[in-house]
Every structure is written in structure tokens, then in C-alpha cells.
Amino acid sequence: MTLTKDHIRDALSTVMLPTGEDPVSSGAVLNIAVCDEHASVRISMTKDAATPQPPRETLSKLGAVMDAAIRANAKEQGVHDLALIIDFVDHSGQVIMKLKGDPAGSVKPTQTKEQIPGAPTPPQNSAANGVPGVKSIIAVGAGKGGVGKSTIAVNLAIGLARKGYSVGILDGDIYGPSLPTMLGLQAIDQVVIDGALQPFLVHDVKAITMGKLVETDKPLIWRGPMAHGAFHQLIERTQWGELDYLIIDLPPGTGDVPLTLAQSVQLAGAVVVCTPQQVAQDDAVRAVNMFKSLGVEVLGVVENMSYFIGDPDDKGQTKEYDIFGRGGAQQMAQKLGLPFLGAIPINMPLRKNSDAGTPTKNFDPATAGGEQLPAALTSMTDQLIAQATLASMHRGQTKPTLTIS
Ligand code: ADP
């Protein structure tokens, strides 16, 4: 028997909140992720900024009850050693308390930034050997160019930063660096202090790109070893400082260069971006296999350009067009047994904000053409956080806590 999301949902629906409702029917359960003997749950006790958060003590007790209910159900399914994380988040999705339960049924809040009300918890995860101070390095790859890999990488970085994590982004797409444009770096010069590259601090993200070190209008005809050397210098000579996440925008494809780059740094995992068409899926499968062959866990698949939202009609209704066959990449992820991180629509503001170097506008309904794009990008970020956390637990880097506080 295996533990499924439905089992966890059933278990949570037996818990009573202070309001008398259960967390499932009240809509407090935002997300459930489960994989073998690891699970994580996101709970929001407030729907808007105006509603006060329950006291930390209440959250802590509630978390312990939820943990016990889930664990009891897990045992019925034959899972006796469940490693469980319960995140309480505020209305904007920021983690306000993270509870980790171990197989013995002990639950403890982690001792990190969440001690400060409203501050998020950094990922307690991965080995990012070779880049001191960086906790998790996540590569964003794609089977081929033009599917929106850089767009997704940038928006994941911004999404993580909006959750309060310290985030860096490295433009590893050495043949066609997009970050100067997408982050609006054109007018800013690269600063080097004592031989160390200083990342650009833009939109609350630290960024570095080959595009600011070479003349971008000249073709870069680099073979594997040269590309590897340049990439290494970029990653190692940058003064990143402390980072929770470093997102790497890899070159597209599965050739020599992306393969060498993906291999050259200790990755916490990879995200594969794909458009829904069959031909794009075939390429994406190759990208997934490339990461697998390198022993890199694929944290999930993003379906970009999933569908198009038309203008509102006279009644204010919008129609969605499945231009490329919406759901294709999602099905591919299912077939490969990979997490699906979300579907991002074809969206004119997204393209305009990318060209203008103003990606934070994608997260504001007023400048993103409505609620849909910000919601899709935020949900994609949440899914990545959940999968990165699960992956790190799998690797044993998030050690369950053994004492009850
Ligand atoms: P890649 O890195 O895969 O080559 P990019 O991220 O550079 O692709 O995207 C290619 C172009 O498509 C860019 O102009 C970008 O703004 C646009 N684009 C990407 N995703 C979307 C989307 N969902 N909606 C609208 N335009 C998009």
C-alpha cells in the first residue's frame, strides 16, 4: 500500500480547527506533497492580511494534532517511518512556522528565521558543494531553445525572493544570455572587487550573467571545455554571499555543453521546462534523461505556453485557447512519474515584462493582465519549494527532529 494525497487529506479532515471547521473543508490546506515515506503539507489559517494569525502556541498544537492524524493514517497504509513537514503560511504564502515530525511522532518547530513573525524559513536542504554559503542549487533546463526556459528561471527566482528567501540567479545560457534583458541589466556595469564578480542586486535577487562580460552581439563559438571554464569562473568568482537558492539557467538542449555544465556543480535538483506539443515533449524527455543520467533529481516539469487567455467579451468573460494542446507536458510528467510544477499561460504582459526587464510586474494582477498569471507563477514557486524540500529529505539532508518542544 502507498500513502497518497487523498489519505493525507482524509486524515486532515478529522482535525478540528479553533473555528470548529476542519482544515480541508475550510480551505486551509493549500498543498499536499507526498513521495514514498516523505510528505509535506502547507496550511494557511488566514485568507487575507486583515485576519490576525492564531498565536504560535496554537499553531504548534494544531500542527502536532495534524501530524498525529496523518501519521495514524500513514500507518494504516503501511508507512511507519513517515518524515513529515507541516508549513503554516500567511495569506501571501510566506512560511510563518515550519513543523517537522519524525517517525517517532515527535513534532518540533525549526529554529530558524520563522522565529521572527512573518519571516520565511530557508530550505533546510541540500549540499551545494563548491559554492560556499549556497544551500540549494537548482538548474532550469529544456530539451530545446525557445520554450521559455529563461523566462521560467527568472520568474522562479523572483517567486522565491518574494517568499523571503535569499536568491541568486546565474545565466548559464552562455550562447544566448537573456538575463541582461529579462532583469533590466543593460545600463548597469559589472563590478569586480579584488577579482570577485559582484552580482547585480535587482528585484531582490542577486544575478550574474555572461551577457555582461562578453560582447553579446558577437557569436560565442565555444566548445565544451571553454564553456565549462567560463561557467566555472562565473559561478566560483562571484561573491554570492549567503543564498538559500541559486537558480541556474542552463543552455538549452542535451548536448555537450548543458551536460557538462549540469555536471560541474552539485545540484539539489533540476526543473525541466516544456511546451505542450508532442515534439517539445520528446525533447523534454531527453532533458529529463540527461539529468537522470547525471544522478540529478528532476524536481518537476513546468508546462510553459500552456494555453492562451483571450480578451474579455462584453460580459467580461474570458475564453481560454489550447493552442499547443494544453496538458501535454503534464501528461508527460505523469508518464515519467515526475512532479508537475504547474502550467503557465501564453501571456502578453509576461512577454512585455520580460522584454522590459521588469519581472516583478508578473506577480501583480494590475501589471500582469489579471489574477491568472500571478497565481500560476506563485503556485509554480510553491510546488518547487515543496519538491525541493522533499528531495532534500530524501537525501537525508533534512534530519527529522527527535525531541518534543
Ligand atoms: P528559452 O530560454 O527557452 O530560449 P525564453 O525564456 O528566452 O526561452 O523565451 C523566448 C521568448 O518567449 C521570450 O521573448 C519570452 O518573453 C517569451 N515567452 C516565454 N514564455 C512565455 C509565455 N508564457 N507567454 C508569453 N511569452 C513568453
Side-chain angles (χ1 to χ4, degrees), residues 145-151 178 182 304-305 345-347 350-351 354:
V147 297
K149 171 184 55 58
S150 302
T151 308
S178 315
M182 289 191 179
N304 188 34
M305 308 192 197
I346 299 174
N347 180 293
L350 177 57
R351 203 270 305 148
S354 296

Side-chain angles (χ1 to χ4, degrees), residues 140 145-158 169-171 173 176-188 200 202-203 205 207-209 211-212 216 249 273 304-305 349-363:
V140 180
V147 297
K149 171 184 55 58
S150 302
T151 308
I152 297 300
V154 163
N155 284 282
L156 278 174
I158 302 286
I169 181 165
L170 183 142
D171 195 349
D173 193 347
S178 315
L179 254 59
T181 303
M182 289 191 179
L183 292 175
L185 307 177
Q186 293 95 333
I188 325 174
F200 297 90
V202 279
H203 319 295
V205 163
I208 205 89
T209 167
K212 295 300 291 187
T216 41
D249 182 16
V273 181
N304 188 34
M305 308 192 197
L350 177 57
R351 203 270 305 148
K352 282 188 181 159
N353 293 333
S354 296
D355 281 353
T358 54
T360 50
K361 289 190 175 176
N362 297 329
F363 289 80

Side-chain angles (χ1 to χ4, degrees), residues 37-38 83 85 100 124-127 268 297 387-401:
E37 295 176 346
H38 301 274
I85 290 186
K100 289 182 187 172
Q124 303 290 304
N125 48 13
S126 80
E297 181 160 351
Q387 294 305 331
T389 307
L390 279 176
S392 72
M393 289 169 81
H394 252 157
R395 286 191 303 268
Q397 282 155 344
T398 303
K399 299 213 169 44
T401 321

